[in-house]
């Protein structure tokens, strides 16, 4: 329920009326409105929704120089019965605050986060057509806006929520390599936070891998390079020996909402689940044994990303990606829950 007053200025245009939902590129078209609020003198002020527009920010704004930027990525869906919901916003909110805390940025109370989301998605629900496949990608983020060139923790910030339509991602199998030179995150670092710098710092290894014919890398731990952590910007899972195995969370692994949802769905299907350290040697041994191994990434945007080829120490291996793979069944279960076709036992669908 809306308890915080959020001033709304309506856009005179309805972009969704002329948007081609059948064919579009993800991330190009903002919806008609966005949310913003400013942090000043120790509190979040002036929460409001405005027609989407560009910003007027000082080149001295601290976010441009010292990287205090944090974001989230979540989705809103329309069910078969027409109702619209946001998927697990409370879990995303908790992670948002953990990221903000790690970056010395002010946290956002749950009430403000949920009220802002509900009001914005209510306004933008026409951007989620009835047809299966199109959902709304939601990008909340906070940046340091205090204009000051000296190195310091900023005293002023802006919190935004923007949205853009997202289409069906056909899970296209990807080629990856186990990365043992470059590092995404180290124990004690900011790997568990969804901060902009983690992405900027990861591009280089991904670019090098692209040049060698790979789509992405599988990151290994910074200390020993023995244990696999994540694949690009997705959490990593394996299905082998009739078990779903995923690296245990640590300060260098992001606590993915998709990871958590898939693990729960698997448990509910009676699949045994293991969260533990996984070395690339173990993965290599499994793949060499000739037994069936599924390897895949999980994340909000693509849900699952099957890995068809993994290079370990210069040798290519081919995980199982045929239609009867367990990963597709897990994805289907999650899709059904979001469409309202199966019961939402854990109240993950937050209706607006
Ligand atoms: C966002 C992200 C994920 C996936 O998290 P979801 O909540 O499932 O979208 C995984 N790893 C990294 C590094 C990420 O930034």
């Amino acid at each position: 329920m809306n308890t915080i007053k959020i001033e709304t200025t309506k856009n005179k245009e309805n972009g969704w009326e002329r948007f081609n939902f059948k064919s579009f590129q993800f991330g190009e078209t903002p919806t008609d409105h966005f949310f913003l609020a400013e942090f000043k003198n120790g509190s979040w002020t002036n929460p409001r929704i405005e027609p989407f527009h560009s910003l007027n920010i000082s080149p001295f704004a601290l976010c441009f120089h010292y990287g205090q930027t944090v974001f989230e990525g979540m989705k809103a869906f329309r069910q078969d019965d027409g109702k619209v919901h946001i998927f697990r916003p409370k879990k995303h909110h908790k992670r948002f605050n953990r990221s903000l805390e790690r970056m010395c940025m002010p946290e956002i109370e749950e009430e403000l986060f949920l009220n802002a989301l509900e009001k914005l998605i209510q306004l933008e629900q026409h951007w989620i057509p009835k047809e299966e496949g199109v959902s709304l990608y939601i990008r909340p983020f906070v940046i340091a806006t205090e204009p000051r060139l000296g190195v310091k923790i900023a005293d002023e910030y802006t919190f935004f929520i923007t949205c853009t339509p997202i289409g069906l991602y056909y899970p296209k199998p990807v080629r990856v390599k186990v990365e043992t030179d470059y590092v995404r995150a180290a124990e004690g670092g900011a790997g568990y936070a969804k901060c902009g710098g983690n992405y900027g710092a990861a591009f280089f290894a991904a670019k090098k891998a692209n040049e060698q014919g790979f789509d992405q890398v599988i990151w290994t731990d910074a200390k020993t390079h023995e244990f696999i952590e994540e694949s690009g910007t997705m959490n990593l899972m394996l299905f082998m020996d009739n078990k779903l195995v995923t690296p245990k969370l640590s300060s260098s692994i992001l606590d993915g909402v998709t990871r958590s949802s898939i693990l729960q769905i698997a448990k509910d299907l009676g699949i045994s689940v293991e969260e533990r350290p996984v070395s690339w040697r173990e993965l290599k041994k499994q793949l060499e044994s000739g037994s069936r191994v599924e390897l895949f990434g999980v994340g909000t945007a693509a849900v699952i990303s099957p890995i068809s080829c993994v290079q370990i120490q210069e040798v290519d291996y081919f995980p199982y990606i045929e239609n009867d793979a367990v990963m597709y069944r897990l994805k289907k279960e999650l899709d059904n829950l979001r469409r309202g076709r199966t019961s939402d036992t854990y109240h993950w669908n937050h209706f607006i």
Side-chain angles (χ1 to χ4, degrees), residues 239-245 272 282 286 289 291-293:
F239 187 78
M240 54 187 193
D241 287 341
N242 273 318
K243 280 180 295 210
L244 186 65
V245 181
S272 35
E282 177 187 359
Q286 281 287 339
S289 77
S291 67
R292 191 192 277 194
V293 179

Side-chain angles (χ1 to χ4, degrees), residues 62-63 65-68 103-104 144 146-157:
L62 282 160
C63 63
H65 308 279
Y66 313 116
Q68 275 183 299
M103 299 304 289
C104 296
E146 183 190 350
R148 219 7 230 271
L149 270 195
V151 179
K152 72 180 282 269
I153 297 170
D155 287 319
E156 291 168 19
Y157 298 85

Side-chain angles (χ1 to χ4, degrees), residues 92 95 184 194 199 230 233-235 254 256-258 299-300:
H92 281 282
R95 183 174 70 193
R184 187 189 85 90
K194 224 169 165 69
Y199 280 67
E230 299 198 56
T233 57
M234 298 179 101
N235 292 112
L254 193 109
V257 175
T258 317
T300 293

Side-chain angles (χ1 to χ4, degrees), residues 35 50 54 59 61 88 106-107 116 156 172 233 252 270 289 341:
F35 169 89
E50 295 182 356
S54 294
R88 304 192 77 177
E107 294 182 22
E156 291 168 19
K172 185 180 144 291
T233 57
S252 57
S289 77
R341 290 171 187 160

Side-chain angles (χ1 to χ4, degrees), residues 285-341:
K285 218 169 115 205
Q286 281 287 339
L287 289 159
E288 279 173 351
S289 77
S291 67
R292 191 192 277 194
V293 179
E294 294 176 30
L295 182 63
F296 55 104
V298 298
T300 293
V303 187
I304 70 154
S305 176
I307 294 170
S308 57
C309 174
V310 54
Q311 187 173 92
I312 307 173
Q313 288 189 310
E314 318 282 321
V315 183
D316 286 353
Y317 298 93
F318 303 94
Y320 189 79
I321 55 160
E322 297 306 315
N323 286 336
D324 61 343
V326 172
M327 59 186 162
Y328 303 124
R329 181 158 156 236
L330 294 168
K331 177 180 190 292
K332 186 87 196 147
E333 286 290 330
L334 184 55
D335 287 345
N336 285 343
L337 189 150
R338 288 162 161 175
R339 294 292 296 186
R341 290 171 187 160

